Amino acid sequence: MSISGFVDFFQKGKTFRPKKKFNPGTMRYSLHKQAQASLNSGINLRSVVQLPEGEDLNDWIAVHVVDFFNRINLIYGTIAEYCVEETCPTMAGGPRFEYLWADGEKYKKPTPLPAPKYVSLLMDWIEAQINNENLFPVSTDVPFPKNFQSLCRKILTRLFRVFVHVYIHHFDRIVSIGAEPHVNTCYKHFYYFIREFDLVSSKELEPLKEMTVLICRDSSPVHQSSSQSQR
């Protein structure tokens, strides 16, 4: 399925928040269009995620972080009215996994929160990071900060938790609106990308490991983790 088909499908429903866009004429805009063209062409997703020859890895990661933020926002928007405190009192991924929120500011210690509150804070936090030009420079003349890749690992890890919650707790809604192939395509793209550049730890991937083997045909082992992720 093409990326344009994915966006068209989900934009028919509710969107969770405004999309972050790249400025036309910038290097990152060009990379973004190049990545979209590859997706639309039907090239194997494992090939699509590979760093184009001669391009900077941080630029490539930045483009994908923003793209995944936009697309996962669209996915969550389709189930948001069903993800309420009464039905989702914790940010869980099944009975074994609960995610606690910490941002180092208002929530200095890992704190249990209802899933909709967790996701809202998570998306606000990510939006603040990618809109901060000191962290995500808009010009290639400005270098990325030294902690850029570690920040992106945290962003992508937290976005993965939205996949976990949607798949495990709201999959019936995804199926009922005919979105399963669209969500699966986005997940596969996300999964191949984070594995290509080792951006999310194996233990974080455990909640969806069985599904991942089925839809990504990837049997690489993941390590056992504790039942609670702290941040």
Side-chain angles (χ1 to χ4, degrees):
M1 187 199 69
S2 70
I3 181 60
S4 59
F6 172 94
V7 173
D8 289 344
F9 179 90
F10 284 103
Q11 284 185 334
K12 292 176 182 177
K14 296 180 179 179
T15 56
F16 191 54
R17 64 186 59 231
K19 290 178 63 180
K20 166 71 175 179
K21 297 182 178 180
F22 298 99
N23 294 324
T26 64
M27 174 63 72
R28 258 156 246 142
Y29 179 82
S30 298
L31 281 176
H32 170 66
K33 300 303 287 186
Q34 179 180 341
Q36 282 193 321
S38 296
L39 283 170
N40 288 333
S41 71
I43 297 174
N44 183 286
L45 287 174
R46 288 183 183 275
S47 301
V48 165
V49 301
Q50 295 173 0
L51 179 67
E53 185 175 356
E55 299 296 349
D56 179 75
L57 177 58
N58 284 340
D59 279 321
W60 191 239
I61 291 175
V63 164
H64 282 79
V65 166
V66 173
D67 185 45
F68 289 132
F69 169 72
N70 288 333
R71 292 163 67 190
I72 293 170
N73 265 313
L74 289 172
I75 290 172
Y76 186 77
T78 65
I79 61 92
E81 63 183 300
Y82 300 89
C83 185
V84 295
E85 292 189 15
E86 291 75 18
T87 58
C88 302
T90 61
M91 180 58 179
R96 292 182 53 220
F97 298 90
E98 179 183 358
Y99 300 119
L100 308 181
W101 180 253
D103 57 17
E105 296 179 1
K106 182 177 179 180
Y107 296 89
K108 296 185 182 299
K109 295 182 179 180
T111 304
L113 294 172
K117 179 68 172 177
Y118 183 104
V119 175
S120 179
L121 289 170
L122 165 59
M123 296 304 184
D124 286 343
W125 176 79
I126 295 176
E127 195 167 31
Q129 308 309 304
I130 64 178
N131 286 332
N132 184 336
E133 296 183 8
N134 292 320
L135 301 176
F136 280 72
V138 296
S139 169
T140 53
D141 295 333
V142 179
F144 286 93
K146 292 182 178 180
N147 67 335
F148 177 72
Q149 289 190 22
S150 63
L151 171 63
C152 288
R153 286 187 176 91
K154 179 173 284 189
I155 291 173
L156 293 168
T157 295
R158 289 177 165 181
L159 283 175
F160 178 78
R161 295 170 183 177
V162 179
F163 271 125
V164 172
H165 186 74
V166 168
Y167 268 117
I168 293 178
H169 294 276
H170 300 287
F171 191 66
D172 55 343
R173 168 64 179 170
I174 294 296
V175 172
S176 72
I177 62 174
E180 181 182 356
H182 304 268
V183 176
N184 286 350
T185 296
C186 183
Y187 177 75
K188 289 168 68 175
H189 185 203
F190 181 93
Y191 177 79
Y192 290 142
F193 184 78
I194 62 173
R195 295 295 286 195
E196 175 75 13
F197 301 107
D198 192 26
L199 295 169
V200 176
S201 69
S202 293
K203 68 178 182 179
E204 282 283 347
L205 301 177
E206 187 182 352
L208 296 181
K209 66 178 181 180
E210 293 181 5
M211 184 205 73
T212 301
V213 169
L214 291 174
I215 72 170
C216 297
R217 298 178 181 176
D218 189 313
S219 59
S220 58
V222 295
H223 302 296
Q224 295 297 313
S225 68
S226 62
S227 62
Q228 191 174 68
S229 294
Q230 292 294 308
R231 299 191 303 169

